[in-house]
Amino acid sequence: MTAEVIHQVEEALDDEDKEVMLFLCRDVAADVAPPDVKNLLDILSERGKLSDVDLAELLYRVRRIDLIKRILKMDRKAVEDHLTVHPPLVSDYRVLMSEIGECLDNSDVSSLIFLLKDHLCRGKMSNKKSFLKLVVELEKQDLLAPNQLDLLENCLKSIHRIDLKRKIQKFKLSAQGGDAKYMNVLSASLPKLSLNDSAHNFMFQNGKNEEKRITVEQQAIQRVPVKTSIQESAACQNVPEKRYRMQSKPLGICLIIDCLCSDTEFLRYTFISLGYEVCHFVCQNAQQIKYTLQKVARMPQHRDCDSFVCVLVSRGDFQYVFGKDETSSGLPLDQIKRIFMADACPSLLGKPKIFFIQNYLVSQGHHVNSSSPEVDGPSVRVVDARAQHSDMVHREADFFWSVCRADVSLLKQPSSSRSQYLLCLSQKLRGEKKCLIDLHIDLNQTMYLWNSRVSEKEKYLVYLQHTLRKKLILSST
């Protein structure tokens, strides 16, 4: 490996990437303690342990696919194909710990440090909020190892991270089938870089449920399922370990913005019955909608909640919502989503963000002011260096985005004070507890029957896009 390539890689990594890479290689260069990534890679190169595919594996583990493409001129599939047939450079125990660290927020890590304070030297971790630093301290005291995971497992259970506890249990089971050594546990699975973050998009139009496209979101790094010793599936059924945690009280904030002062009170009661704290706003214009969304995105309550729901009823077109005014410059639908993405709203990282939008389409002659301002405020300024890269990990993951479009003329009919789409949604949510995707399929079938009986201007067009990674049921029971 040339010094030039090592320099390019080191220059492109941010501090978090470097910390993870140093942690992953603790076993590979166990006899030295390199102070930085550049020295680490140089040492590995001198020892013949850093071929192009080895460096590609390290970049793959820290989710820097962009550097694999730009510097090493390889693609992700080539790296994954190599890892399926060759022994990995990094031990699967290290990969497991880094994956767990990705799923923990600062409050989780603080809770773990508190639970482990009797095992750690007093004050040793007081200024270290990194989970990986905590792991290293536990390893130094022989409290954590690939075959010694019970302590961490119990602590994860105590902070209600059952999903991560199950990851450890799965690792234990896979290790039982092979040689569970500290270095390179070959029987464990590859890192799940996809998290099943494929976006499924369906258009329901004119009585036909048409699969419009199934695309892989390029901005949310995908994990490709790999054959493992334990069968895994992304389907909704029979995968309890892939279910989103929905145990907090309340389950989360449910924001209802009814710009048309229509009858949406029934939705308040629906989401209260599901266990949500409802915030209800009415008769807002586009700028007020934006302000409300940004204000709610900053609410500290998200940190202690397991999900977020937003219901928006507005006039608009295919790309904008106009709020209560038909002459508004409009708020882009994409901007609504960006306000709650992982980089702008870190307190909702890894948690499902569910949107139900009823948009009444105005005349095609409506012209939107293209100078509509972008998202501003603290939510953007807190983005770290990693967010500057288009390959930011899971920036768009965990979204459920359901948009229903109807003709604005429906608002003039006395019998249409309630959206049939939202009425049907409320009924489905109050009924049998089902996976949200299955529930939405049922909703589509009901809307199909409605559309088959009404005129063209009375039809509801339903569009679904999601990047959910797990089974989601909007209930704490």
Side-chain angles (χ1 to χ4, degrees):
M1 183 59 59
T2 66
E4 181 181 0
V5 170
I6 292 175
H7 177 74
Q8 288 179 345
V9 169
E10 196 270 344
E11 285 286 306
L13 295 174
D14 61 34
D15 291 341
E16 184 179 346
D17 294 330
K18 293 174 182 177
E19 180 188 8
V20 175
M21 190 172 288
L22 288 169
F23 174 82
L24 291 171
C25 292
R26 283 182 64 84
D27 308 330
V28 184
D31 58 328
V32 295
D36 54 45
V37 166
K38 186 181 293 185
N39 287 334
L40 168 69
L41 297 180
D42 189 44
I43 290 171
L44 293 178
S45 178
E46 289 178 354
R47 296 181 176 184
K49 294 183 178 181
L50 196 68
S51 64
D52 286 351
V53 290
D54 291 328
L55 181 55
E57 179 191 339
L58 290 177
L59 294 173
Y60 178 86
R61 305 293 189 184
V62 297
R63 319 296 197 237
R64 293 306 302 270
I65 308 301
D66 58 322
L67 301 184
I68 294 176
K69 294 177 180 178
R70 177 163 61 85
I71 298 177
L72 300 181
K73 311 302 181 185
M74 300 171 63
D75 59 28
R76 179 170 52 206
K77 186 176 185 303
V79 180
E80 290 166 346
D81 290 344
H82 175 83
L83 290 173
T84 58
V85 296
H86 294 88
L89 175 69
V90 178
S91 76
D92 293 284
Y93 160 75
R94 294 284 167 201
V95 173
L96 173 68
M97 292 298 108
S98 66
E99 287 184 348
I100 290 175
E102 286 180 354
C103 298
L104 295 170
D105 58 27
N106 288 338
S107 62
D108 290 328
V109 176
S110 296
S111 297
L112 288 174
I113 292 173
F114 178 79
L115 289 171
L116 291 164
K117 68 177 184 177
D118 293 335
H119 300 276
L120 300 168
C121 296
R122 188 170 297 276
K124 189 77 173 180
M125 292 295 297
S126 58
N127 296 319
K128 297 178 181 179
K129 296 296 183 182
S130 163
F131 173 74
L132 297 183
K133 288 185 172 67
L134 174 61
V135 169
V136 171
E137 289 300 321
L138 292 173
E139 289 174 349
K140 288 178 180 178
Q141 299 183 50
D142 294 326
L143 296 172
L144 186 64
N147 59 352
Q148 193 175 347
L149 296 166
D150 291 347
L151 178 61
L152 178 58
E153 188 178 335
N154 291 334
C155 288
L156 290 171
K157 179 180 178 181
S158 297
I159 66 171
H160 308 294
R161 293 306 304 266
I162 306 302
D163 56 328
L164 301 181
K165 177 177 180 288
R166 286 178 175 141
K167 286 177 74 74
I168 292 178
Q169 291 173 334
K170 214 190 291 190
F171 174 84
K172 287 180 175 180
L173 288 173
S174 65
Q176 289 175 2
D179 185 12
K181 291 183 179 180
Y182 195 90
M183 302 285 288
N184 296 326
V185 186
L186 303 183
S187 63
S189 66
L190 294 178
K192 307 271 186 315
L193 217 74
S194 67
L195 289 178
N196 300 317
D197 284 344
S198 54
H200 303 279
N201 301 278
F202 301 92
M203 176 65 76
F204 182 80
Q205 188 168 5
N206 298 328
K208 295 181 181 179
N209 191 5
E210 175 190 31
E211 184 174 348
K212 191 174 183 181
R213 73 180 185 272
I214 300 178
T215 63
V216 177
E217 292 290 338
Q218 296 301 321
Q219 292 184 357
I221 295 180
Q222 308 297 334
R223 296 183 180 186
V224 177
V226 185
K227 203 170 194 180
T228 67
S229 57
I230 300 175
Q231 187 63 37
E232 296 183 2
S233 170
C236 268
Q237 298 85 1
N238 303 320
V239 195
E241 68 273 14
K242 292 288 185 179
R243 181 169 170 172
Y244 281 103
R245 180 182 185 270
M246 297 291 279
Q247 298 174 1
S248 63
K249 293 184 180 181
L251 285 178
I253 302 297
C254 173
L255 171 63
I256 300 176
I257 303 177
D258 181 3
C259 302
L260 309 179
C261 296
S262 56
D263 184 0
T264 52
E265 193 65 19
F266 65 96
L267 288 171
R268 172 194 290 272
Y269 296 116
T270 295
F271 283 101
I272 288 176
S273 70
L274 292 173
Y276 284 87
E277 178 183 333
V278 176
C279 300
H280 201 168
F281 296 84
V282 296
C283 207
Q284 294 196 327
N285 59 33
Q287 286 298 318
Q288 290 169 329
I289 295 172
K290 175 184 170 185
Y291 174 78
T292 299
L293 291 168
Q294 291 177 333
K295 182 178 179 180
V296 171
R298 300 186 189 108
M299 292 175 67
Q301 292 94 315
H302 295 308
R303 185 179 304 171
D304 301 318
C305 294
D306 290 335
S307 62
F308 169 72
V309 175
C310 177
V311 180
L312 175 60
V313 183
S314 174
R315 292 182 177 87
D317 63 13
F318 284 89
Q319 296 181 341
Y320 291 79
V321 292
F322 306 140
K324 65 181 181 180
D325 306 318
E326 290 194 29
T327 57
S328 165
S329 61
L331 177 66
L333 287 167
D334 285 345
Q335 191 175 125
I336 294 173
K337 190 186 296 184
R338 286 201 298 272
I339 291 172
F340 293 91
M341 283 184 182
D343 53 351
C345 186
S347 57
L348 286 173
L349 176 66
K351 302 173 184 179
K353 296 161 278 284
I354 306 109
F355 291 79
F356 300 106
I357 299 176
Q358 175 64 74
N359 207 10
Y360 290 96
L361 303 184
V362 301
S363 167
Q364 292 294 325
H366 181 91
H367 296 287
V368 176
N369 181 359
S370 61
S371 64
S372 177
E374 292 297 314
V375 178
D376 53 16
S379 59
V380 169
R381 290 196 291 269
V382 299
V383 178
D384 60 15
R386 181 188 289 253
Q388 298 173 11
H389 301 287
S390 61
D391 289 283
M392 179 177 176
V393 177
H394 307 314
R395 179 173 180 264
E396 300 184 38
D398 309 299
F399 275 89
F400 187 92
W401 184 260
S402 176
V403 178
C404 179
R405 298 171 179 131
D407 196 279
V408 72
S409 62
L410 281 176
L411 296 175
K412 299 177 183 178
Q413 299 181 13
S415 59
S416 298
S417 62
R418 291 183 175 185
S419 158
Q420 290 297 320
Y421 158 74
L422 294 177
L423 272 174
C424 180
L425 172 67
S426 177
Q427 293 166 359
K428 300 297 182 186
L429 290 172
R430 285 174 171 267
E432 180 185 356
K433 303 305 179 187
K434 301 179 69 173
C435 171
L436 187 57
I437 296 175
D438 292 340
L439 184 147
H440 202 279
I441 292 173
D442 291 346
L443 183 150
N444 271 352
Q445 293 172 343
T446 302
M447 298 310 299
Y448 169 83
L449 294 175
W450 170 270
N451 285 356
S452 66
R453 297 193 300 263
V454 299
S455 67
E456 196 69 27
K457 286 203 169 185
E458 294 176 285
K459 292 181 178 180
Y460 289 82
L461 315 179
V462 183
Y463 171 87
L464 170 64
Q465 180 186 54
H466 80 85
T467 54
L468 296 180
R469 302 175 289 118
K470 309 173 189 177
K471 180 176 180 179
L472 174 60
I473 298 177
L474 297 189
S475 173
S476 58
T477 57

